[in-house]
Amino acid sequence: MKRVVIVGVGFAGLRAARTLANKGFDVLLLDRNNYHLFQPLLYQVATAELEQESIVYPIREIIRRWRGVHFRLAEVWGIDLERHQVLTANGVIAYDYLILATGSVTNFFGMDTMKRYGYDLKYLNDAVVLRNQILSSFEYAAQKPNASERLALLTFVVVGGGPTGVEFTGALAELVHHVLSKDYPELQVKDIRIILIEAGDSLLSNFPKKLQDYALFKLHRMGIEVRLKTAVSGAESHQVLLKDGTSIPSRTLFWAAGVRASSLADALPVMKVRGGRIIVKQDLTIEGYPNVFVIGDMAYLEQDRQPLPMIAPVAMQQGEYAGRAILQGERGRPIGPFYYRDRGSMATIGRGAAVAHTMGFSFSGFSAWVIWLALHLFFLIGFRNRIVVLLNWGYEYFLLKRQIRIITQEKKEIKR
Amino acid sequence: MKRVVIVGVGFAGLRAARTLANKGFDVLLLDRNNYHLFQPLLYQVATAELEQESIVYPIREIIRRWRGVHFRLAEVWGIDLERHQVLTANGVIAYDYLILATGSVTNFFGMDTMKRYGYDLKYLNDAVVLRNQILSSFEYAAQKPNASERLALLTFVVVGGGPTGVEFTGALAELVHHVLSKDYPELQVKDIRIILIEAGDSLLSNFPKKLQDYALFKLHRMGIEVRLKTAVSGAESHQVLLKDGTSIPSRTLFWAAGVRASSLADALPVMKVRGGRIIVKQDLTIEGYPNVFVIGDMAYLEQDRQPLPMIAPVAMQQGEYAGRAILQGERGRPIGPFYYRDRGSMATIGRGAAVAHTMGFSFSGFSAWVIWLALHLFFLIGFRNRIVVLLNWGYEYFLLKRQIRIITQEKKEIKR
């Protein structure tokens, strides 16, 4: 029985495993977490709308009915491509086929101060830490007599006008206006500032102009200051530094302006592009290693002369492809090159407001928002999770309430 | 307007605040957390049945409609009883009346090794840490080739046969038998041991003999080893040491064998009994300080020559009493001494199995369990929380599923 080792149980790894389940393979999933994380809703955990448990699902529960699929909690340190071995903290694991799918991490582009003082949103813990930071800022602001310190605590700077920055900013504005403004009668709403900074000249750069304008209009209406063509140069504990030499007093900086391949890619002696992504062939394998697939955010592949984006739909399609490629390869019926079918993209801005772009059509407003909700509920794993998420969304939509606004003990660890 | 400062927003403090709300007082609530915790369900968070967010409720949401009641996130360091001041990390707060209700902490009775290697269950974070420890033990056991290490990882020792120990042990046994045994086909169920140790000669010592026997019978049937008249003397990282000189190889020791007044009581120069509880007069004030009330687990008061137990119903009744005493005192109509109305006690052992004792009647089995569920749902704060908890209980009861079995990043911090 051939052994397939899959490193990383995100969208890509999970699809690959599902494709290979019940097919006579010995499939071993490795991940340093025991759950699959639904990353697209992380920002809702960070803005006190969802509990962290509702957007994850235990891997062992998912694979219970997948014959031949096993899981091991493991931190993978490296790969010995010549000997076909995965190196983990608890020893070496041999493979016949390897699928690497450890995704991406935040790219601070070498700005150490940003890494030190900024917050990012890649892992479950990040979301809880950011939520704690936002809520703690309000609690401390309610206590501080010093006006400038209070203003810094109540100024939230978001860097990056892509979907993550836009979705987070909108959700934060609603948290502030629907909930926190009532929670803190001792604070004045006019003192609370949310600033969205984007280096380029538009938000949501991959969307049609019409939708970009809609997003900008909506964010403005929600009281968010959007600063386009503005670049950030660094951070200190109490302010954000801009390239033009000015600064914004702020205690909370959320960095959503870039991702790069996860550090496992750095450990591999193979061809990479900027951002550490591994160059793969049309069949998603690495040059010279036909039994090693790299899929999802880690993989760099061009299609129609454009690099494929680092998004969930690409990861899922590549996962399925890698599984099928191994399956059909073993049956002596190799399949054609990978081709990404773009079904469109969407982003939500707030309650009843989203943008969607699919098959040449652009939607915005309530209809796009309903589609967004439905799709996210559909892709979320677990019936219980769907009910809990729907319940929270109902509370938000009908009652303007967010009840997960608790400050737990997770704090940002300053990594040097 | 007279200012009442309430330290601690547990069952006692919250009831006191509710009694004083909308009555023309300036009531200031202080707590180091921004949420009220429903402690009776902590053990279900620790056993992967409930998400931590479902048993807490934001204090600012609770008090939103309570006129005159405010909240401040604060760590209280001490009280200046002579100057009528509360000392916090962020300055001094003056009071006319003071209500101290910071509850209790785990009592390790000076056993440092227990404190170091044992787990306890008082705060929200404790429950998450204990859950992570249990789930991680299974993950590591699935990887370890060494048999003795595997057995130590799969042996869970619970010390203390009171309601907390019994409820946790039963819930852990069901987690293991309904869920984890299916999650880990690579482990053998016979290797998993749950040991409940009690120094006295019976479990649930405050319950009638019939109910004690029922609990013992049920726990036996669930495969739990109950060791009565057994005392623990210490712990090491890989074993629990017993007073008789033997030891039990185990990586997880849950200490549920004692509580003591929270450390704020130690900082007060007033009369205390064993366990640091502050001796209060019949009107719950401290001798010589008629404007300072001590209520809940912190307070020591005898009734019918027996000390009142450190349980939620006592705390709630004392909270209400303290509020009324201040209210009526200000109106010049002092009220009589505090009298605790014992409405009974109950403990749940497992699915469809609980014991209850009220007004001279003893129940056990399914009926007691249904009453237990109903009462806990009733006292839990928040409609959303009730739905989420009910959903999880339904999953547990009908599908034998627990989906919160995720390992997050919270780990026990070894405090020296």
Side-chain angles (χ1 to χ4, degrees), chain A residues 181-195:
Chain A
S181 60
K182 292 175 202 147
D183 268 359
Y184 298 88
E186 57 268 59
L187 297 176
Q188 294 194 285
V189 176
K190 70 167 181 52
D191 288 346
I192 306 166
R193 288 173 75 193
I194 302 173
I195 303 168

Side-chain angles (χ1 to χ4, degrees), chain B residues 350-391:
Chain B
R351 190 164 164 264
V355 292
H357 176 61
T358 179
M359 295 178 288
F361 293 99
S362 292
F363 305 84
S364 63
F366 194 80
S367 60
W369 184 71
V370 169
I371 297 172
W372 184 95
L373 292 182
L375 275 179
H376 281 72
L377 271 187
F378 177 78
F379 281 109
L380 187 66
I381 296 181
F383 188 69
R384 196 204 73 95
N385 283 350
R386 290 181 187 143
I387 296 178
V388 173
V389 166
L390 200 57
L391 179 70

Side-chain angles (χ1 to χ4, degrees), chain B residues 95-383:
Chain B
Y95 61 81
D96 295 304
Y97 290 98
L98 176 66
I99 300 179
L100 294 177
T102 55
S104 55
V105 296
T106 301
N107 193 349
F108 290 99
F109 300 101
M111 285 186 278
D112 281 344
T113 59
M114 202 66 77
K115 193 170 177 178
R116 183 154 177 186
Y117 298 110
Y119 293 82
D120 64 329
L121 211 45
K122 262 292 165 185
Y123 302 110
L124 194 59
N125 194 53
D126 297 335
V128 177
V129 166
L130 181 54
R131 178 194 72 200
N132 288 345
Q133 166 66 14
I134 294 167
L135 298 174
S136 299
S137 297
F138 275 84
E139 286 295 340
Y140 294 132
Q143 300 183 3
K144 291 279 170 185
N146 174 333
S148 73
E149 177 59 12
R150 193 177 66 242
L151 293 179
L153 282 164
L154 295 178
T155 300
F156 301 90
V157 176
V158 179
V159 183
T164 306
V166 167
E167 293 191 323
F168 173 82
T169 312
L172 177 60
E174 292 189 335
L175 173 67
V176 167
H177 294 295
H178 297 168
V179 184
L180 299 184
S181 60
K182 292 174 201 146
D183 267 359
Y184 298 89
E186 56 267 62
L187 296 175
Q188 295 194 283
V189 175
K190 71 167 180 52
D191 288 346
I192 306 166
R193 288 173 75 193
I194 302 174
I195 303 169
L196 176 59
I197 294 178
E198 162 60 40
D201 57 4
S202 67
L203 298 177
L204 302 175
S205 59
N206 291 326
F207 285 71
K209 178 85 170 62
K210 204 174 88 181
L211 298 182
Q212 292 175 353
D213 291 346
Y214 174 85
L216 193 61
F217 168 76
K218 276 283 172 188
L219 292 177
H220 269 307
R221 273 247 311 244
M222 292 161 92
I224 292 156
E225 301 171 39
V226 180
R227 297 199 191 171
L228 300 174
K229 295 185 213 163
T230 304
V232 169
S233 63
E236 290 172 8
S237 69
H238 61 291
Q239 60 183 356
V240 179
L241 308 173
L242 304 182
K243 271 237 171 71
D244 65 11
T246 62
S247 67
I248 303 170
S250 166
R251 285 272 182 194
T252 310
L253 162 65
F254 170 41
W255 179 258
V259 288
R260 49 167 288 125
S262 84
S263 61
L264 183 58
D266 300 337
L268 292 184
V270 294
M271 292 270 285
K272 274 160 266 182
V273 294
R274 225 160 45 117
R277 295 168 78 188
I278 295 171
I279 296 173
V280 294
K281 293 168 51 180
Q282 293 287 320
D283 65 354
L284 306 184
T285 63
I286 308 179
E287 183 68 50
Y289 301 97
N291 63 335
V292 179
F293 293 79
V294 180
I295 55 177
D297 285 2
M298 272 183 111
Y300 181 86
L301 179 67
E302 292 185 1
Q303 182 169 302
D304 307 331
R305 300 222 178 97
Q306 287 288 319
L308 289 175
M310 295 161 86
I311 55 175
V314 173
M316 289 196 263
Q317 291 180 30
Q318 291 187 339
E320 211 161 314
Y321 176 91
R324 280 202 305 126
I326 292 172
L327 202 58
Q328 301 293 39
E330 283 292 314
R331 289 173 180 167
R333 290 177 299 192
I335 60 174
F338 173 75
Y339 188 82
Y340 171 57
R341 259 167 271 276
D342 184 358
R343 301 217 168 81
S345 43
M346 51 197 332
T348 188
I349 298 152
R351 190 164 164 264
V355 292
H357 176 61
T358 179
M359 295 178 288
F361 293 99
S362 292
F363 305 84
S364 63
F366 194 80
S367 60
W369 184 71
V370 169
I371 297 172
W372 184 95
L373 292 182
L375 275 179
H376 281 72
L377 271 187
F378 177 78
F379 281 109
L380 187 66
I381 296 181
F383 188 69

Side-chain angles (χ1 to χ4, degrees), chain A residues 34 51-53 60-61 64 73 90 139 143 183-184 186 384 392 395 401 405 407 410, chain B residues 34 51-53 57 60-61 64 73 90 139 143 183-184 384 392 395 401 405 407 410:
Chain A
N34 76 331
E51 46 272 85
Q52 52 174 324
E53 295 85 350
R60 288 182 184 270
E61 176 85 29
R64 216 183 253 185
L73 189 75
N90 286 317
E139 286 295 341
Q143 300 182 3
D183 268 359
Y184 298 88
E186 57 268 59
R384 195 203 73 94
N392 287 318
Y395 258 73
K401 284 195 171 184
R405 56 186 191 284
I407 303 172
E410 292 96 331
Chain B
N34 75 332
E51 45 273 85
Q52 52 175 324
E53 295 85 351
Y57 204 78
R60 288 183 185 269
E61 176 85 30
R64 214 183 255 185
L73 190 74
N90 285 317
E139 286 295 340
Q143 300 183 3
D183 267 359
Y184 298 89
R384 196 204 73 95
N392 287 317
Y395 258 72
K401 284 194 172 184
R405 56 187 192 283
I407 302 171
E410 292 95 332

